[in-house]
Amino acid sequence: MPEDVKPVGYVENESLLPIPINKRLYGTGTFTWMMFSMNVCIPLFFLGSIGLQLGLSIIEAALGAFLGNLATTVILFLNGLPGVKYGISYPVQLRPSWGFKGSKIPVVLRGIVGAGWYGIEAYSGSLAILMVALYILGYAGRDPVAIASAAFRYVVFVVALYVAFATIVTAKGLGMIARVVNVTGPLLLVYFIWLTLQLSTRQITPVGNSGAGLFSRSFALYLAIQTNFWATMSLNISDLSRGLYADKRGVRALIIGPVTGIVLTAVVASILGYYLTMYTGYSTPQEIILYTAPGVVAVVLGQVFASIAPFSTDITANIPALVNILTTCFKMKWRNAVVVAGFIGFLLASWWAVEKGPDIINYVSAFTSNYGLVLGPIAGIMIADYYLVRKNYDLRKLYANGPKDYWYGSGYNKAAIFTYVLSIIIIYAVSYVIGDITIVGVIPFPTSLSWYIGVVVATLLYFVVTKKY
């Protein structure tokens, strides 16, 4: 692979240049911990509560977590290999399939979803920070009801501090990200395993569900939420995999890291969230810790871990996706883009939409179940272009702006745009026929199977259209 790639016909943003082989940072161990820390966040434990609310049994919830995250991990692996091989980022990886200018379309779409998650994570971490601060200060005699009420009311001020700190850490670059996430992953998961065991020994009669059935609409909706949870990162995984060693070690890391850090972790966290909600009757991990953790030390440690976990997810998954929009479409330098992304994250944090615990669960459930419509066809186009049409990339052409390279008509690949639009139409048509349309506000969204339909349809359609025309 040539290391001396120089942009031709335009001025490239330095952060989008390929990472040379001698500057790769990650091996299997670091990448696995990175996936683990990225995945272990407060909303991950919402998934068990959502499964319980949908009427699923614990077996159905665990199976939905396994199948949904396994599907995402397969796409993540396929899209991550070009990052390992060429050292390129997500915006650059899109140029052969969407065109030099057209690549901005999926960058923006992925970044918008990432921005929404950035806000959710910022809110979740900030709520935990405020709860532990009020608890330590002895607010209202450490009355859990008073602390929870005050935290939901004043969390906006802590969101501002959270976003500021996340901005500073992210601006330090990939090396700083690796060091931070290496130490944050296990804490919250281990804590909730311990807390679940503690609660199981008390005189509590959990109320579970007998199960809605694997072929029920409830299970299909739950599968969609589990799948879409990391359908985001399955698109821009090259932003992280480009830092892996460019040999078999990198490929091995791209398998072990996601399977361990995403699939298995999601199953465990979903089971924990399910049981914790059953035992306590509370929906959010922050409230579960505040109301049920045994003693001052347990409450403080739990809330501290709850504030760390969303932070690691934001700096590895959500902020980089939003930064991609700013560096690609607005030609911002990395650090300037990170600052602007922080401001956007603050505005999108759900402090303006949440007044109590169940509100944030419903907010996340509605958000996660619907955006598969947007992301599925992008994944299908990327996979079809690399594995079925080209089978490899010319690294120099990825950085050449002209008609002889990945340019197409005026910089846009009409095959990708046509495929994307037609895939959306087909998703709506199939969802309408099977009665799987949900109204959000005034907008109808296909939910349960939209991501899966989008991946399959776009893969086949792009291949056919490209070969024919």
Side-chain angles (χ1 to χ4, degrees):
M1 183 187 74
E3 301 268 335
D4 57 342
V5 174
K6 299 196 180 298
V8 176
Y10 74 111
V11 177
E12 182 62 274
N13 191 316
E14 291 183 2
S15 64
L16 297 181
L17 293 173
I19 297 179
I21 292 176
N22 61 355
K23 292 185 179 180
R24 303 296 179 89
L25 302 172
Y26 312 139
T28 300
T30 299
F31 194 68
T32 298
W33 281 114
M34 183 181 292
M35 295 292 99
F36 185 43
S37 297
M38 177 184 74
N39 196 23
V40 179
C41 56
I42 290 295
L44 183 67
F45 295 93
F46 293 170
L47 297 174
S49 178
I50 291 171
L52 184 63
Q53 292 176 7
L54 288 172
L56 304 182
S57 69
I58 185 63
I59 299 299
E60 290 167 350
L63 182 61
F66 176 76
L67 294 176
N69 286 279
L70 182 63
T72 300
T73 298
V74 171
I75 303 301
L76 184 147
F77 173 77
L78 294 175
N79 281 334
L81 281 179
V84 175
K85 184 175 181 179
Y86 301 104
I88 56 176
S89 61
Y90 173 62
V92 176
Q93 185 180 355
L94 292 166
R95 289 172 181 174
S97 54
W98 288 80
F100 207 89
K101 293 181 179 180
S103 62
K104 296 177 182 179
I105 298 172
V107 166
V108 170
L109 293 172
R110 164 63 181 97
I112 290 173
V113 176
W117 272 117
Y118 184 11
I120 290 170
E121 297 285 1
Y123 177 87
S124 298
S126 300
L127 188 64
I129 293 170
L130 186 52
M131 282 184 176
V132 73
L134 293 173
Y135 190 87
I136 292 173
L137 293 173
Y139 177 83
R142 290 181 175 163
D143 174 43
V145 176
I147 290 175
S149 178
F152 282 113
R153 189 163 59 249
Y154 299 114
V155 70
V156 59
F157 300 106
V158 184
V159 170
L161 296 176
Y162 174 101
V163 167
F165 188 57
T167 299
I168 293 171
V169 172
T170 307
K172 297 297 183 180
L174 290 175
M176 183 65 176
I177 289 175
R179 290 191 293 273
V180 170
V181 302
N182 247 349
V183 299
T184 58
L187 302 176
L188 191 63
L189 190 65
V190 171
Y191 178 88
F192 276 126
I193 292 174
W194 169 81
L195 184 58
T196 302
L197 293 175
Q198 286 286 317
L199 292 172
S200 68
T201 63
R202 301 182 187 180
Q203 298 298 319
I204 301 173
T205 303
V207 180
N209 293 313
S210 59
L214 297 180
F215 298 100
S216 65
R217 191 174 189 279
S218 293
F219 183 79
L221 180 59
Y222 183 72
L223 182 65
I225 293 172
Q226 288 279 2
T227 303
N228 292 343
F229 203 80
W230 287 116
T232 50
M233 202 65 204
S234 70
L235 296 184
N236 70 303
I237 184 61
S238 287
D239 290 336
L240 297 180
S241 67
R242 66 194 296 233
L244 289 168
Y245 299 119
D247 52 29
K248 292 182 179 179
R249 293 175 298 171
V251 177
R252 183 168 61 246
L254 197 57
I255 297 173
I256 296 174
V259 168
T260 304
I262 293 180
V263 179
L264 298 182
T265 302
V267 173
V268 173
S270 297
I271 292 173
L272 291 173
Y274 190 99
Y275 275 118
L276 286 168
T277 302
M278 264 200 326
Y279 284 134
T280 67
Y282 297 106
S283 303
T284 69
Q286 301 96 322
E287 290 176 299
I288 291 170
I289 294 169
L290 182 65
Y291 285 98
T292 65
V296 175
V297 174
V299 172
V300 172
L301 283 178
Q303 298 292 14
V304 169
F305 296 158
S307 65
I308 292 174
F311 182 79
S312 63
T313 304
D314 272 335
I315 64 175
T316 52
N318 299 325
I319 297 175
L322 182 53
V323 166
N324 279 337
I325 296 179
L326 302 172
T327 56
T328 303
C329 300
F330 299 97
K331 306 299 182 183
M332 289 186 182
K333 292 187 178 299
W334 169 265
R335 293 192 177 185
N336 293 338
V338 170
V339 173
V340 175
F343 180 72
I344 295 173
F346 171 77
L347 295 178
L348 291 177
S350 50
W351 47 266
W352 43 268
V354 175
E355 295 182 358
K356 52 186 182 297
D359 289 347
I360 186 64
I361 300 291
N362 294 332
Y363 183 91
V364 170
S365 181
F367 176 66
T368 310
S369 62
N370 290 315
Y371 62 67
L373 168 73
V374 177
L375 302 185
I378 297 175
I381 291 170
M382 293 175 69
I383 291 168
D385 184 79
Y386 185 72
Y387 292 96
L388 301 181
V389 177
R390 302 184 190 281
K391 300 181 175 60
N392 59 69
Y393 291 146
D394 185 325
L395 189 60
R396 296 188 185 280
K397 287 185 177 182
L398 289 172
Y399 294 92
N401 187 358
K404 293 183 179 180
D405 306 303
Y406 299 131
W407 182 252
Y408 307 102
S410 303
Y412 296 89
N413 182 8
K414 294 181 178 62
I417 296 173
F418 172 79
T419 296
Y420 187 79
V421 173
L422 186 55
S423 296
I424 297 292
I425 294 173
I426 293 174
I427 292 170
Y428 267 101
V430 173
S431 299
Y432 178 80
V433 169
I434 64 176
D436 192 28
I437 300 289
T438 300
I439 305 298
V440 179
V442 295
I443 302 175
F445 278 99
T447 50
S448 305
L449 301 176
S450 59
W451 183 84
Y452 291 92
I453 298 171
V455 171
V456 173
V457 169
T459 300
L460 298 176
L461 189 58
Y462 181 86
F463 176 72
V464 171
V465 171
T466 301
K467 286 297 184 182
K468 187 172 181 61
Y469 297 104

